Amino acid sequence: MADTSLFVAEFTRNSQRVYSYILALVANIDDAEEVYQETSAIAWQKFDAFEPGTNFGAWICRIAYFRAMKLHEKRAGDPLTFDADLLEVIAQTHEMETDLMVVRRKALKICVDTLPEKYRDLLRQRYTGTTVQDIARVSCQTTNAVYKTLYRLHRQLHECISKRLTMGDGP
Amino acid sequence: MSDHVELLELIHAMLEGQLDADAATALKRRLRTDAQARATYIQAVDMKAALRWQFAEDRAPMLTAATDLMIDDCEAEPYAIRLRGRSRTTTSFGWSIAAAMVGLVVGFVTSSLVLGVMMSGNQIRVQPLLTEGFEDVKLPLAKRFPEVHDVWNGTQGLILPSDTAAEGHHVIRFGPTNTRRLSYLNRIVDVSGLEKAGTDEQRELRLTVTVRTSQHVSSPRRYRLRLAAFEEDPAAIKDLWFSGGGLEEKALSFASRAYDVDEPGWSTLDMTLPLPPEARNVVLSISAGSVDSNEPTIAYEADDVKLELITLQPGQSDSVDSPTKMKKKRRAERSENQFDHGGGLSSLTWNSLTLRQQCLLIK
């Protein structure tokens, strides 16, 4: 019988990293959620095979990697899919960037707090499952306008993070 | 527009599913060759992941105390729609975290891995009976239809390493056949030790298999999944299986489902079978062949085989998704190249679980 509390602890500690890793590999927010769910379920099913004391993050990321690869294989021919070589270099880059991610995430929280409330609301809607189409419909905007606003916000946050890290006043 | 800004815009469009084919090809080329572009891509991805996490936490605090997890407000949530093939889901992220954890908490109660989901007052439990990734290269394979439990038999069955396995690093190869048109993969699973169904409980089995051809072929392939429940022992089942006449007559319950597939790569197939209380053994059988009988036979590969027991305990309320309604809904979604015999689509299918995965209630 798998150690439930160990799984909960390890999963909670690594879940954000795993989601980020999956999003990098599948390159689509909606697909990432699906692969994340599958990965979580498989990790629990196979948790008996995990050796306590070893790297749970690496172990579950391996599962995620194969799920992502499976998704790309299913969509072979789609211009948005990644081939095996690209998948591998993306996975490696994600691994290399891991340490920096922790610092950037802390800076991101501060940057989000500096946004006007209406923009924070827009991000909140998008990142709690509301589609761009639904946001556009409710706010009486075109879908394209919402996409552009979201893009500008992301760019602004990206620049804010870089600036904070460059200035050395990061968290 | 600076090169960096343009790159960010392309990455954003890709992650939002808004990139056209030419731009996607150009972006992928750049990611392949430009290390700095890859670093920017990972930063943009991780920022989106972090935002998703941050706002999901605002809405559904993380599972710091799993045993206390209670998600209410389910009925207010939109259903998540999961389609076969290119899937899209609108599941909110906080709930998907919960979905990942649900098995754990129920596990505290039942001491076994069971997924529990409350749907419109109905309690559904999912218990894995078989999870096979063929990772054990020494897995014994029977040369003929198995006469004992828990042994795979495949037409020229062979476990092989594969860099492109659906799961893990190995697959089972079966076929080609010299004597018949179809190649087979069979196994008998012992279900005699399962807890008896409670009053009013409905139980069924769900089989999921991932299959592909072992070589590229341009013609469509036909896969057939079969499940049959028996009261007899495995040796007697073998005699029944090959004794002629319909399995519908010989088994306690029997279902068969065929799929015509013309896309390359892995295909995930599934089916369900009502499980009668008298059942002691269940045969799962996978066959594969060409739709055109004149085509030469080839080998096939299977991976990630799962058999699950799904138990529905009807609750007090059945207002939104009654079994009949769900059956109709799933029938409407059924793709045209699948045809059933026997089990068909049931109100208890796994897909029904994922339709409302955000509405998890853990007791």
Side-chain angles (χ1 to χ4, degrees):
Chain A
M1 181 63 194
D3 183 339
T4 311
S5 56
L6 177 62
F7 184 83
V8 171
E10 292 283 13
F11 187 85
T12 306
R13 189 159 42 243
N14 288 279
S15 49
Q16 186 175 348
R17 173 190 165 194
V18 174
Y19 179 76
S20 169
Y21 180 77
I22 289 170
L23 182 56
L25 295 181
V26 302
N28 180 284
I29 286 174
D30 297 316
D31 289 338
E33 294 204 3
E34 179 156 330
V35 173
Y36 177 78
Q37 288 178 19
E38 290 172 356
T39 300
S40 311
I42 291 168
W44 170 239
Q45 283 174 12
K46 299 198 168 186
F47 191 56
D48 276 333
F50 172 69
E51 216 171 290
T54 60
N55 188 336
F56 179 86
W59 181 75
I60 194 171
C61 279
R62 202 65 195 153
I63 294 172
Y65 184 86
F66 284 111
R67 300 311 295 183
M69 184 184 272
K70 188 177 172 185
L71 184 80
H72 285 300
E73 278 179 3
K74 274 185 183 172
R75 296 175 184 174
D78 184 329
L80 293 175
T81 58
F82 288 178
D83 60 30
D85 291 344
L86 182 54
L87 214 54
E88 190 57 41
V89 291
I90 295 289
Q92 285 171 8
T93 309
H94 194 278
E95 182 66 31
M96 287 188 296
E97 292 280 322
T98 299
D99 290 343
L100 189 57
M101 284 173 194
V102 177
V103 183
R104 291 181 64 88
R105 285 174 200 157
K106 286 179 181 170
L108 173 66
K109 280 200 169 193
I110 297 169
C111 292
V112 169
D113 286 342
T114 63
L115 290 174
E117 181 60 30
K118 69 171 185 175
Y119 292 132
R120 281 207 303 275
D121 268 353
L122 176 60
L123 290 173
R124 185 176 293 110
Q125 285 180 61
R126 182 66 187 115
Y127 287 111
T128 51
T130 311
T131 63
V132 171
Q133 288 76 10
D134 284 345
I135 294 171
R137 195 161 42 245
V138 170
S139 60
C140 300
Q141 296 180 72
T142 64
T143 304
N144 195 38
V146 176
Y147 273 121
K148 282 190 173 171
T149 307
L150 281 168
Y151 163 64
R152 277 198 297 272
L153 282 172
H154 284 93
R155 198 179 78 192
Q156 196 175 324
L157 289 171
H158 201 89
E159 286 164 359
C160 173
I161 292 168
S162 301
K163 196 173 166 186
R164 291 194 74 83
L165 296 182
T166 308
M167 287 164 57
D169 67 347
Chain B
M1 190 186 291
S2 78
D3 185 49
H4 181 70
V5 170
E6 190 179 357
L7 178 63
L8 280 177
E9 189 166 2
L10 285 173
I11 292 169
H12 176 77
M14 176 175 250
L15 296 173
E16 290 284 353
Q18 294 297 303
L19 208 56
D20 63 39
D22 290 344
T25 306
L27 177 58
K28 285 195 299 183
R29 190 183 308 123
R30 187 156 176 197
L31 291 176
R32 198 174 278 116
T33 56
D34 182 344
Q36 185 54 48
R38 279 199 300 278
T40 302
Y41 172 76
I42 296 297
Q43 287 165 12
V45 161
D46 194 63
M47 187 170 78
K48 280 179 180 285
L51 285 169
R52 212 152 189 79
W53 225 258
Q54 186 175 331
F55 288 117
E57 278 183 329
D58 287 350
R59 184 174 175 184
M62 293 292 286
L63 309 178
T64 49
T67 49
D68 287 339
L69 177 65
M70 167 78 81
I71 298 173
D72 50 20
D73 197 26
C74 285
E75 296 308 317
E77 287 295 313
Y79 288 7
I81 305 301
R82 185 179 290 243
L83 303 173
R84 291 191 180 285
R86 195 167 179 97
S87 306
R88 286 290 182 266
T89 174
T90 58
T91 310
S92 68
F93 195 61
W95 305 157
S96 66
I97 298 165
M101 307 300 272
V102 61
L104 315 180
V105 182
V106 179
F108 283 130
V109 179
T110 63
S111 298
S112 63
L113 175 57
V114 176
L115 292 177
V117 177
M118 185 76 109
M119 296 173 61
S120 301
N122 296 332
Q123 177 74 39
I124 288 182
R125 286 180 288 133
V126 181
Q127 180 180 353
L129 302 181
L130 168 68
T131 303
E132 182 65 84
F134 302 102
E135 293 306 303
D136 181 2
V137 292
K138 294 179 180 168
L139 197 68
L141 300 175
K143 285 193 183 324
R144 299 178 187 282
F145 189 89
E147 295 182 54
V148 291
H149 297 123
D150 303 330
V151 173
W152 287 100
N153 143 251
T155 307
Q156 299 193 47
L158 197 59
I159 294 175
L160 296 171
S162 171
D163 291 338
T164 57
E167 182 59 42
H169 304 281
H170 294 84
V171 300
I172 188 167
R173 176 170 292 183
F174 60 107
T177 172
N178 299 320
T179 56
R180 291 175 295 189
R181 197 162 65 82
L182 299 175
S183 298
Y184 287 90
L185 192 59
N186 303 304
R187 179 161 168 154
I188 300 178
V189 178
D190 182 0
V191 294
S192 62
L194 294 178
E195 254 180 51
K196 296 296 174 197
T199 313
D200 296 333
E201 279 188 345
Q202 300 170 42
R203 300 193 305 174
E204 69 178 29
L205 298 172
R206 180 174 189 269
L207 172 64
T208 310
V209 182
T210 304
V211 286
R212 70 178 175 188
T213 56
S214 65
Q215 63 191 73
H216 178 72
V217 286
S218 53
S219 58
R221 301 283 130 182
R222 177 165 298 167
Y223 298 99
R224 183 177 292 278
L225 306 186
R226 289 185 294 176
L227 280 172
F230 291 92
E231 203 174 2
E232 288 81 1
D233 292 329
I237 291 172
K238 183 184 176 183
D239 293 338
L240 286 170
W241 196 264
F242 294 105
S243 64
L247 285 167
E248 304 92 322
E249 306 298 324
K250 295 183 283 190
L252 291 170
S253 64
F254 170 72
S256 171
R257 193 170 186 191
Y259 302 77
D260 287 350
V261 176
D262 55 9
E263 291 175 2
W266 290 110
S267 299
T268 300
L269 319 174
D270 67 359
M271 66 170 298
T272 58
L273 174 78
L275 184 64
E278 309 85 11
R280 293 173 55 223
N281 291 294
V282 171
V283 177
L284 62 91
S285 178
I286 303 150
S287 65
S290 171
V291 171
D292 179 356
S293 58
N294 296 319
E295 292 267 332
T297 61
I298 59 167
Y300 296 84
E301 290 172 351
D303 198 3
D304 202 12
V305 180
K306 292 192 185 76
L307 186 69
E308 295 160 316
L309 174 68
I310 303 174
T311 306
L312 172 71
Q313 187 171 33
Q316 300 301 311
S317 159
D318 195 16
S319 58
V320 179
D321 271 318
S322 68
T324 309
K325 275 188 179 176
M326 285 198 290
K327 199 166 186 171
K328 284 179 180 172
K329 191 190 294 179
R330 298 302 305 157
R331 274 191 176 144
E333 290 174 4
R334 185 167 55 184
S335 57
E336 289 177 359
N337 66 340
Q338 299 167 15
F339 28 100
D340 299 324
H341 175 78
L345 288 165
S346 158
S347 59
L348 302 181
T349 60
W350 176 255
N351 284 342
S352 300
L353 289 180
T354 52
L355 278 173
R356 304 193 60 196
Q357 207 163 27
Q358 72 273 45
C359 288
L360 302 172
L361 178 67
I362 299 163
K363 289 187 168 180

